[in-house]
Amino acid sequence: MTEKDKQTEEKIFEAATEVFEEKGMDGARMQDIADRAGINKALLHYYYRTKDHLFETVFQLLAGKMLRKFAPVFEKDLTLEEKIRFFFQQHITFMQENPRLPSFVLNEINRNPDRIKKLLKNVDFKKLWMKIEEQHKDELEKYNITIDNIPQIMSTIAAISVFPFAARGILEGIFENLGVEFDTYIEERKGFAADFVIGALQSRKASK
Amino acid sequence: MTEKDKQTEEKIFEAATEVFEEKGMDGARMQDIADRAGINKALLHYYYRTKDHLFETVFQLLAGKMLRKFAPVFEKDLTLEEKIRFFFQQHITFMQENPRLPSFVLNEINRNPDRIKKLLKNVDFKKLWMKIEEQHKDELEKYNITIDNIPQIMSTIAAISVFPFAARGILEGIFENLGVEFDTYIEERKGFAADFVIGALQSRKASK
DNA sequence: ATATAGTTTAACTAATTGGTCAAATATATA
DNA sequence: TATATATTTGACCAATTAGTTAAACTATAT
């Protein structure tokens, strides 16, 4: 009972994830989700009352999963440069396994910005910054990283990691023209991104 | 006649642009577009037979406009570093004026990758590379930029420019937490992005 | 075995939505 | 002015879609 129950609920969740990632909230059809889960539409509504409810459940879990991928970086006992390498390695690998996730999450947040608030309400960014500050005091000074420029730097790191997946359609279109494989490009990117960012940070030594 | 004709067609196009950018193809409603254009739904269908036709018209024009913004960079007679500064300045300013465009275009291409082919079929990237190569031979050598790493470098530049708009919802959510204004962040970004990329490229001198 | 509670289904409903049509109105042309 | 042509409208249609319902089925506990 509980066994079968979980099986069905799990099947629904996986099917819904697929369909929502492919088609988005508006493009997704409950019938399509039911079909992929191998069940009947009424059963779908039995488990998740409405499409909105199902979407919200799927979205919050997926978006949370994606955002949490940023967290372990702050915990590890590594130098700043090692952390940057570690981050790109982990984050890009995660997106290789969930290639549609970034585009889906970004888009649905843009379409309804309130959704992000629920996810971020437990995160205290000021505290996070203080943590980094005491962990990497001298490195931050060396690279001239301050609370004032951290939004630019962090968003740049995120951009370099996430953008290839968010813009996959365009990149694949261009790469086709050039004879480049997207998968190869992504594999290379883990190292390239780290080198690029570390290089840029090192060049900041001079300033200040 | 032709006057009023153009007025109506223009009004429809503008309304459709707004609605499609906000809601996407699937979320957009013909009634909503008609309302915003101040006309009747039947008239909408009189000018653009179907929703698909209207969408395709709007999409091709907007996406083309966005992609063409990358072009002038290759024409100008500037040093490579000047070109990088010029690009971020121009491109980010353009997106300030069309803030929903990047997310819209990226998303609709991911949802239907064939759309990009029509846009790129007249662009010869190999030729473009050869052009850059002869314009900036020594600079490319100095920064160790080759045909092999150009996809990584170009996509990184695009990422740094486009990502803030594609991820605007999330960034605004985080910035709120930090007391940072998105508009200020974007204004700063024009310079920051150029410095960051040039710094990263300069650090590549050593390699090779 | 049988009563009970949870599970699954086929058939149905109500609302939304893209698209049509015939009639009305404005505009240009002869 | 009269006629043809282009534009605009309100009312309508057919298809799709989220959600409901009542009945059938299954497993478990007594």
Side-chain angles (χ1 to χ4, degrees), chain B residues 82-140:
Chain B
E82 285 168 341
K83 276 191 181 175
I84 289 168
R85 283 191 197 288
F86 175 75
F87 167 73
F88 282 116
Q89 181 65 44
Q90 294 289 302
H91 199 245
I92 293 178
T93 300
F94 171 71
M95 290 185 295
Q96 279 177 315
E97 290 155 10
N98 303 272
R100 298 195 106 110
L101 195 49
S103 177
F104 169 68
V105 171
L106 292 183
N107 198 55
E108 296 297 344
I109 288 175
N110 283 339
R111 202 131 293 165
N112 189 346
D114 281 348
R115 287 193 184 117
I116 192 67
K117 287 180 185 155
K118 206 183 293 179
L119 285 161
L120 293 180
K121 71 164 186 286
N122 295 319
V123 190
D124 186 339
F125 289 96
K126 286 249 168 72
K127 211 167 210 165
L128 215 55
W129 164 246
M130 276 158 58
K131 200 169 180 177
I132 300 172
E133 209 174 18
E134 68 184 44
Q135 272 178 348
H136 301 286
K137 202 165 191 318
D138 19 336
E139 290 161 288
L140 295 179

Side-chain angles (χ1 to χ4, degrees), chain A residues 1 28-31 41-42 45 50-51:
Chain A
M1 192 70 91
R29 298 287 157 247
M30 292 299 266
Q31 187 61 59
K41 190 157 67 85
H45 282 280
T50 64
K51 185 184 179 184

Side-chain angles (χ1 to χ4, degrees), chain A:
Chain A
M1 192 70 91
T2 313
E3 178 55 25
K4 198 169 193 177
D5 188 358
K6 250 214 176 110
Q7 258 181 22
T8 306
E9 201 163 333
E10 189 58 26
K11 273 194 305 183
I12 292 176
F13 194 91
E14 281 165 20
T17 300
E18 277 180 37
V19 176
F20 280 133
E21 278 189 357
E22 273 175 41
K23 309 283 181 68
M25 164 65 181
D26 292 325
R29 298 287 157 247
M30 292 299 266
Q31 187 61 59
D32 192 6
I33 294 172
D35 289 348
R36 288 210 212 184
I39 58 162
N40 177 296
K41 190 157 67 85
L43 186 57
L44 185 55
H45 282 280
Y46 174 76
Y47 278 93
Y48 296 89
R49 258 153 303 153
T50 64
K51 185 184 179 184
D52 280 294
H53 184 248
L54 175 56
F55 177 82
E56 212 54 40
T57 308
V58 169
F59 177 81
Q60 289 295 326
L61 194 133
L62 291 184
K65 200 170 146 194
M66 191 176 160
L67 288 182
R68 262 193 302 284
K69 275 283 147 185
F70 286 89
V73 180
F74 301 111
E75 303 303 332
K76 289 258 172 178
D77 183 25
L78 300 169
T79 67
L80 199 62
E81 288 193 18
E82 286 168 340
K83 275 190 182 175
I84 290 169
R85 282 189 197 288
F86 175 76
F87 168 74
F88 281 115
Q89 181 66 43
Q90 294 288 304
H91 200 247
I92 293 177
T93 301
F94 171 71
M95 289 186 295
Q96 279 177 315
E97 289 155 10
N98 303 271
R100 298 196 107 109
L101 195 49
S103 176
F104 169 68
V105 171
L106 293 182
N107 198 55
E108 296 296 344
I109 288 174
N110 283 339
R111 202 130 292 165
N112 188 347
D114 282 348
R115 289 194 183 116
I116 191 69
K117 288 180 184 153
K118 207 184 291 181
L119 285 161
L120 294 180
K121 71 164 185 284
N122 295 318
V123 190
D124 185 338
F125 288 96
K126 286 250 169 70
K127 213 167 208 165
L128 214 56
W129 164 246
M130 276 158 59
K131 201 169 177 177
I132 300 171
E133 209 173 19
E134 69 184 44
Q135 272 178 349
H136 301 286
K137 203 165 189 321
D138 18 337
E139 290 162 289
L140 295 178
E141 205 158 313
K142 182 171 120 195
Y143 297 138
N144 188 29
I145 299 170
T146 68
I147 184 76
D148 289 327
N149 55 40
I150 198 84
Q152 293 290 350
I153 291 170
M154 293 297 264
S155 65
T156 300
I157 291 172
I160 293 172
S161 191
V162 173
F163 181 79
F165 292 92
R168 179 173 187 158
I170 290 186
L171 291 184
E172 281 185 330
I174 295 172
F175 290 173
E176 199 175 316
N177 214 304
L178 262 97
V180 174
E181 280 294 325
F182 184 77
D183 290 346
T184 316
Y185 159 84
I186 287 298
E187 204 53 50
E188 278 175 20
R189 193 149 187 86
K190 296 173 188 174
F192 175 89
D195 291 340
F196 193 91
V197 169
I198 290 166
L201 290 181
Q202 280 171 346
S203 81
R204 294 164 64 83
K205 285 185 204 174
S207 34
K208 181 67 202 283

Side-chain angles (χ1 to χ4, degrees), chain B residues 1 4 28-30 41-42 45 50-51:
Chain B
M1 188 70 89
K4 198 169 192 178
R29 298 286 156 249
M30 293 298 268
K41 191 157 66 83
H45 283 279
T50 64
K51 186 184 179 184

Side-chain angles (χ1 to χ4, degrees), chain B:
Chain B
M1 188 70 89
T2 313
E3 179 54 25
K4 198 169 192 178
D5 189 358
K6 231 182 195 146
Q7 259 181 20
T8 307
E9 202 164 332
E10 190 58 27
K11 273 193 305 181
I12 292 177
F13 194 90
E14 280 165 20
T17 300
E18 277 180 38
V19 176
F20 281 133
E21 278 189 357
E22 273 175 40
K23 307 284 179 67
M25 165 66 182
D26 292 326
R29 298 286 156 249
M30 293 298 268
Q31 187 61 60
D32 191 6
I33 294 171
D35 289 348
R36 287 209 212 184
I39 58 161
N40 177 296
K41 191 157 66 83
L43 186 56
L44 185 55
H45 283 279
Y46 174 77
Y47 277 94
Y48 297 88
R49 258 153 303 152
T50 64
K51 186 184 179 184
D52 281 292
H53 184 250
L54 175 56
F55 177 82
E56 213 54 39
T57 308
V58 170
F59 177 81
Q60 290 294 328
L61 194 135
L62 291 184
K65 201 170 146 194
M66 190 175 160
L67 287 181
R68 262 191 302 281
K69 275 282 147 185
F70 286 89
V73 179
F74 301 112
E75 303 303 332
K76 289 255 172 181
D77 183 26
L78 300 169
T79 68
L80 200 62
E81 288 193 19
E82 285 168 341
K83 276 191 181 175
I84 289 168
R85 283 191 197 288
F86 175 75
F87 167 73
F88 282 116
Q89 181 65 44
Q90 294 289 302
H91 199 245
I92 293 178
T93 300
F94 171 71
M95 290 185 295
Q96 279 177 315
E97 290 155 10
N98 303 272
R100 298 195 106 110
L101 195 49
S103 177
F104 169 68
V105 171
L106 292 183
N107 198 55
E108 296 297 344
I109 288 175
N110 283 339
R111 202 131 293 165
N112 189 346
D114 281 348
R115 287 193 184 117
I116 192 67
K117 287 180 185 155
K118 206 183 293 179
L119 285 161
L120 293 180
K121 71 164 186 286
N122 295 319
V123 190
D124 186 339
F125 289 96
K126 286 249 168 72
K127 211 167 210 165
L128 215 55
W129 164 246
M130 276 158 58
K131 200 169 180 177
I132 300 172
E133 209 174 18
E134 68 184 44
Q135 272 178 348
H136 301 286
K137 202 165 191 318
D138 19 336
E139 290 161 288
L140 295 179
E141 205 158 312
K142 180 171 123 195
Y143 297 138
N144 187 31
I145 299 171
T146 68
I147 183 78
D148 290 327
N149 55 40
I150 198 85
Q152 293 290 349
I153 292 170
M154 292 297 264
S155 65
T156 300
I157 290 171
I160 293 172
S161 191
V162 174
F163 181 80
F165 292 92
R168 178 172 190 160
I170 291 187
L171 291 184
E172 281 185 330
I174 295 172
F175 289 172
E176 199 175 316
N177 213 304
L178 262 97
V180 174
E181 280 294 327
F182 184 77
D183 290 347
T184 315
Y185 159 83
I186 287 298
E187 204 52 51
E188 278 175 21
R189 193 151 187 85
K190 297 172 187 173
F192 175 90
D195 291 340
F196 193 90
V197 169
I198 290 166
L201 290 181
Q202 280 171 345
S203 81
R204 294 164 64 84
K205 285 185 206 174
S207 34
K208 179 67 202 286

